[in-house]
Amino acid sequence: MALSNNVIGAINFVAMLLSIPIIGAGIWLATEQDNSCVKILQWPVIILGILILIVALAGFIGGFWRIPWLLVFYLVAMLVLIVLLVVLVVFVYMVTIRGSGHIEPSRAYLEYRLDDFSGWLRRRVQRSYKWDRIRSCLSSTSMCAELNQSYRMAQDFFNAHLTPLQSGCCKPPTQCGYTFVNPTYWISPINNAADMDCLQWSNDQTQLCYSCDSCKAGLLANLRKEWRRADIVMIITLVALISVYLIGCCAFRNAKTEDLFRKYQQGYT
């Protein structure tokens, strides 16, 4: 019985360790520029990771100190958390399945369109009261100003591999036909009514294309890339966590069987 309890405690210690990648993924998302402005996924990931850590700690204590009710709590609570993690993993995959960039002639960077993304993601940025806060957050960063320091010549800029945010927010869309002066200052063509984004562009360094749909699309493209990376971490951790949970269930069942057998022997003798 003592050996089985020790095994259960050791297994739950491993489960505690498995909570670290989930918490780490949430903290990483929170530190990214775009996620810090949007604040959608990082807190559910962090909270779920902390709950897994707490429940695994309860199982660890219950195993080593032989507290049956704590082990039962661990088994039930961890099952619920695993189900929630599965739901989160599937949800992130489904909302990020769409949203690839578009190639433009003579450009190394990609252009992004809002309609290419899932409806759920679009709703996070389409309403004005939500976007006003996000736009204010994005415009306070130095991501566009950094382009002016890195690229002086037009061809160097056109050959640059910009982030989706820089491509969507720091310059006018390529189809508008603006003439390059520097990465954040462009000369307007005679006819720039091809798209509403062409009218939204401003050489004011606090405005640029932060009001454009291309900026919203660039933000979602950035989120999509980062969320999918976090999703891979969660999938790997989920598989390991399920394996550890199943081993823990077997160890708990064996411990209960040994306990019943020991009681039977004591009653028989």
Side-chain angles (χ1 to χ4, degrees):
M1 180 65 177
L3 177 62
S4 295
N5 280 325
N6 289 339
V7 170
I8 294 173
I11 289 170
N12 292 331
F13 179 74
V14 175
M16 290 169 56
L17 295 179
L18 289 174
S19 69
I20 295 176
I22 299 176
I23 297 173
I27 293 174
W28 172 71
L29 287 174
T31 58
E32 290 299 301
Q33 200 171 63
D34 48 350
N35 275 282
S36 64
C37 291
V38 180
K39 298 178 182 177
I40 299 175
L41 184 64
Q42 57 266 49
W43 285 114
V45 174
I46 291 173
I47 291 171
L48 188 56
I50 292 174
L51 290 175
I52 291 173
L53 176 62
I54 293 172
V55 170
L57 178 61
F60 175 75
I61 294 172
F64 271 114
W65 277 270
R66 306 180 189 180
I67 307 175
W69 69 267
L70 207 52
L71 285 173
V72 172
F73 166 77
Y74 159 78
L75 291 173
V76 174
M78 186 58 77
L79 179 61
V80 172
L81 292 176
I82 287 175
V83 171
L84 289 176
L85 185 56
V86 169
V87 171
L88 184 60
V89 164
V90 173
F91 171 76
V92 172
Y93 174 78
M94 293 304 297
V95 299
T96 59
I97 198 169
R98 296 169 50 197
S100 300
H102 298 270
I103 298 173
E104 292 289 342
S106 304
R107 301 291 190 271
Y109 49 76
L110 301 177
E111 300 277 349
Y112 299 89
R113 298 168 190 165
L114 197 55
D115 291 340
D116 291 337
F117 295 89
S118 67
W120 187 89
L121 277 179
R122 290 201 306 271
R123 287 191 291 273
R124 306 284 75 77
V125 298
Q126 281 183 318
R127 295 178 181 177
S128 59
Y129 72 92
K130 291 183 178 180
W131 183 249
D132 287 344
R133 178 184 58 80
I134 297 171
R135 179 182 60 190
S136 176
C137 177
L138 292 175
S139 62
S140 67
T141 67
S142 60
M143 64 174 181
C144 294
E146 291 171 355
L147 294 177
N148 291 331
Q149 299 172 1
S150 302
Y151 305 103
R152 301 289 183 181
M153 306 297 292
Q155 197 57 47
D156 291 339
F157 181 74
F158 297 153
N159 291 333
H161 294 279
L162 306 181
T163 67
L165 261 180
Q166 290 173 327
S167 175
C169 305
C170 301
K171 63 169 190 59
T174 301
Q175 65 178 2
C176 297
Y178 277 71
T179 302
F180 177 93
V181 175
N182 68 43
T184 60
Y185 195 95
W186 299 69
I187 297 175
S188 174
I190 296 174
N191 179 17
N192 61 356
D195 190 280
M196 273 302 297
D197 280 2
C198 303
L199 301 175
Q200 296 281 8
W201 168 261
S202 171
N203 284 318
D204 183 340
Q205 298 300 291
T206 63
Q207 299 295 324
L208 299 179
C209 218
Y210 290 118
S211 297
C212 301
D213 281 350
S214 65
C215 186
K216 298 175 183 178
L219 172 66
L220 295 185
N222 247 46
L223 291 178
R224 177 180 180 270
K225 179 177 65 175
E226 293 162 3
W227 287 16
R228 289 180 80 85
R229 289 178 181 174
D231 206 36
I232 291 172
V233 173
M234 289 191 292
I235 289 172
I236 295 172
T237 306
L238 175 63
V239 172
L241 196 60
I242 291 174
S243 302
V244 167
Y245 180 77
L246 293 176
I247 295 171
C249 287
C250 293
F252 180 75
R253 184 186 62 186
N254 291 339
K256 294 296 289 183
T257 302
E258 291 173 11
D259 189 34
L260 290 173
F261 184 70
R262 179 176 56 81
K263 288 179 180 179
Y264 172 77
Q265 283 187 317
Q266 289 174 348
Y268 182 77
T269 55

